[in-house]
């Protein structure tokens, strides 16, 4: 009987679904499973799709997945993993149900894996779970991973940081001055999609975006974020959007930016893990023995510094000689 790790590595969909459920539950065993899958990761192209609710992200992700599945001139068909991240909804939330229905036409395709994930309410928990789910999909052999995330707050920025390429989705009809566009969002955009280009005002939104982009050029080794107009339900412009994503991937690889981003991502991840482990150690040390150590300090048996050393299992006498 193969282990869950072996089954995920072999691309078994049910095993993958089980693993992601465990990740969501924060099952402690997942860390070990992900550790043994680590060598298989780092192969996928991870694309974040973000923007305000209702801009058409889910529809666009669906359309993009179809394009990547089909391939195109000079591009072979790719397998696609989709993570729909909703920081606000509980697991059975309406939005997620809607996404499932919308993505129904991709169901039955073994080269597509769709999964919704929601926040557990813990700070940074969603981006951590998303990162783990991305690793699981990557290890299972999905070549392109699309992460749909609602453009609200820090969660979105954290989730976007898991991606190689970030697509920010805008639409016409949100006011001429693009009120919906928060300052930070343009900074994380590698590619801009002006979706709902069938509605009036798409050209003007694209023009305003161009002006804003020209003003604050992103530090990314000379990459100019392209602006692509799309009509997600009909697929208009989606080939072009897929091409823009591929161009950005090529740019990342050629410029060395891919490696730099990956190192940055790993550094942030290690830093968060380290902080978590040290925090847990602090809690356990103080929880068990703080009162006792305080008694010794009050009785002048130990200085506070010596007491701390002892709590950390250092020799309380060491360093006293100086
Ligand atoms: N007119 C028009 N409607 C669209 C387009 N893309 C999506 N929609 C509609 O916009 C609504 C929200 O789409 P959805 O993909 O759920 O947006 P999300 O909240 O960003 O994921 C749905 O009713 C879609 O059918 C588009 O390009 N043009
Ligand atoms: Mg959606």
């Amino acid at each position: 009987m193969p282990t869950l790790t072996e089954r995920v590595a072999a691309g078994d969909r049910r095993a993958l679904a089980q693993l992601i459920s465990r990740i969501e539950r924060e099952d402690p065993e997942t860390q070990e499973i992900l550790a043994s899958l680590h060598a298989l990761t780092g192969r996928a192209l991870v694309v974040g799709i973000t923007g305000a609710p209702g801009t058409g992200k889910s529809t666009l992700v669906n359309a993009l997945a179809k394009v990547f599945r089909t391939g195109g001139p000079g591009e072979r068909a790719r397998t696609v993993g989709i993570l729909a991240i909703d920081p606000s909804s509980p697991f059975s939330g309406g939005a997620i149900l809607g996404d499932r229905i919308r993505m129904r036409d991709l169901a039955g395709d073994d080269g597509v894996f769709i999964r919704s994930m929601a926040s557990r309410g813990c700070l940074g928990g969603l981006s951590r779970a998303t990162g783990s789910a991305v690793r699981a999909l990557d290890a299972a052999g999905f070549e392109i991973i699309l992460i749909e995330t609602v453009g609200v707050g820090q969660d979105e920025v954290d989730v976007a940081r898991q991606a190689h390429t970030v697509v920010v989705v805008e639409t016409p009809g949100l006011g001429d001055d693009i009120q919906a566009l928060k300052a930070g969002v343009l900074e994380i955009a590698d590619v801009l999609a002006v979706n709902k280009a069938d509605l009036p005002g798409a050209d003007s939104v694209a023009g305003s975006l161009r002006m804003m982009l020209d003003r604050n050029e992103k530090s990314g080794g000379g990459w100019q974020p392209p602006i692509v107009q799309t009509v997600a339900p009909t697929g208009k412009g989606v080939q072009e959007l897929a091409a823009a994503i591929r161009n950005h991937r090529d740019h990342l690889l050629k410029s060395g930016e891919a490696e730099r981003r990956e190192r940055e991502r790993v550094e942030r991840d290690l830093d968060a893990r380290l902080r978590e482990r040290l925090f847990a150690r602090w809690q356990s040390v103080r929880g068990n023995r703080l009162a006792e150590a305080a008694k010794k300090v009050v009785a002048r048996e130990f200085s506070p510094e010596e007491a701390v050393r002892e709590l950390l299992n250092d020799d309380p006498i060491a360093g006293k000689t100086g």
Side-chain angles (χ1 to χ4, degrees):
M1 180 74 186
T3 63
L4 187 62
T5 306
E6 287 162 349
R7 287 167 59 212
V8 170
D12 178 331
R13 302 171 65 87
R14 280 189 50 205
L16 181 58
Q18 276 173 30
L19 177 55
I20 296 179
S21 296
R22 287 193 185 192
I23 289 167
E24 275 181 328
R25 285 200 307 270
E26 291 174 18
D27 180 337
E29 265 178 57
T30 55
Q31 287 307 325
E32 234 168 279
I33 297 172
L34 288 170
S36 46
L37 289 171
H38 181 72
L40 292 175
T41 62
R43 300 177 297 178
L45 171 66
V46 185
V47 182
I49 319 278
T50 190
T55 48
K57 296 178 298 299
S58 297
T59 317
L60 206 50
V61 161
N62 194 351
L64 268 176
K66 280 189 206 155
V67 168
F68 286 128
R69 285 298 294 135
T70 316
E75 265 302 312
R76 64 174 178 79
R78 309 274 172 173
T79 53
V80 180
I82 297 173
L83 291 174
I85 311 295
D86 191 329
S88 54
S89 305
F91 290 127
S92 57
I96 288 173
L97 202 63
D99 285 342
R100 289 229 174 104
I101 292 165
R102 209 173 295 116
M103 287 167 174
R104 200 168 41 193
D105 51 327
L106 289 169
D109 177 352
D110 265 357
V112 177
F113 184 93
I114 303 171
R115 180 66 186 232
S116 295
M117 294 183 81
S119 175
R120 313 236 55 185
C122 119
L123 191 70
L126 184 63
S127 57
R128 171 72 67 80
T130 305
S132 298
V134 165
R135 287 163 69 197
L137 283 164
D138 191 352
F142 287 92
E143 298 173 289
I144 295 182
I145 299 171
L146 304 175
I147 310 174
E148 175 190 341
T149 172
V150 180
V152 282
Q154 188 57 38
D155 259 339
E156 159 228 9
V157 174
D158 287 346
V159 169
R161 277 181 171 159
Q162 317 271 355
H164 300 112
T165 301
V166 175
V167 179
V168 172
V169 185
E170 288 296 321
T171 56
L174 295 172
D176 283 345
D177 47 358
I178 324 185
Q179 288 291 356
L181 196 68
K182 292 186 287 344
V185 157
L186 266 196
E187 275 163 41
I188 63 168
D190 298 305
V191 175
L192 281 127
V194 177
N195 190 41
K196 306 198 183 183
D198 53 322
L199 302 181
D203 285 336
S204 117
V205 171
S208 316
L209 286 171
R210 185 79 276 155
M211 268 168 53
M212 290 167 79
L213 281 172
D214 289 346
R215 244 180 283 145
N216 58 344
E217 199 198 329
K218 186 179 177 179
S219 62
W223 174 256
Q224 263 290 346
I227 300 169
V228 185
Q229 297 197 22
T230 55
V231 183
T234 67
K236 188 160 179 259
V238 180
Q239 293 272 5
E240 288 78 359
L241 182 59
I245 292 168
R246 287 192 206 105
N247 287 343
H248 183 250
R249 170 204 59 193
D250 293 344
H251 162 79
L252 288 179
L253 292 173
K254 275 191 212 122
S255 62
E257 180 75 5
E259 212 185 306
R260 197 186 66 77
R261 283 192 185 193
E262 171 80 352
R263 268 204 308 270
E264 254 181 38
R265 186 190 63 73
V266 170
E267 255 180 53
R268 265 195 309 270
D269 178 57
L270 291 182
D271 192 43
R273 286 169 192 272
L274 191 60
R275 200 175 330 126
E276 215 165 85
R277 289 285 278 274
L278 291 175
F279 183 76
R281 187 174 173 206
W282 171 62
Q283 280 183 316
S284 121
V285 165
R286 70 195 292 270
N288 295 336
R289 289 151 50 211
L290 197 67
E292 208 174 300
K295 262 190 231 160
K296 290 185 184 165
V297 174
V298 169
R300 273 31 189 194
E301 273 175 55
F302 284 163
S303 74
E305 178 52 29
E306 287 161 343
V308 167
R309 269 178 225 239
E310 200 202 39
L311 285 170
L312 292 173
N313 292 326
D314 287 345
D315 179 358
I317 307 303
K320 207 181 178 183
T321 47

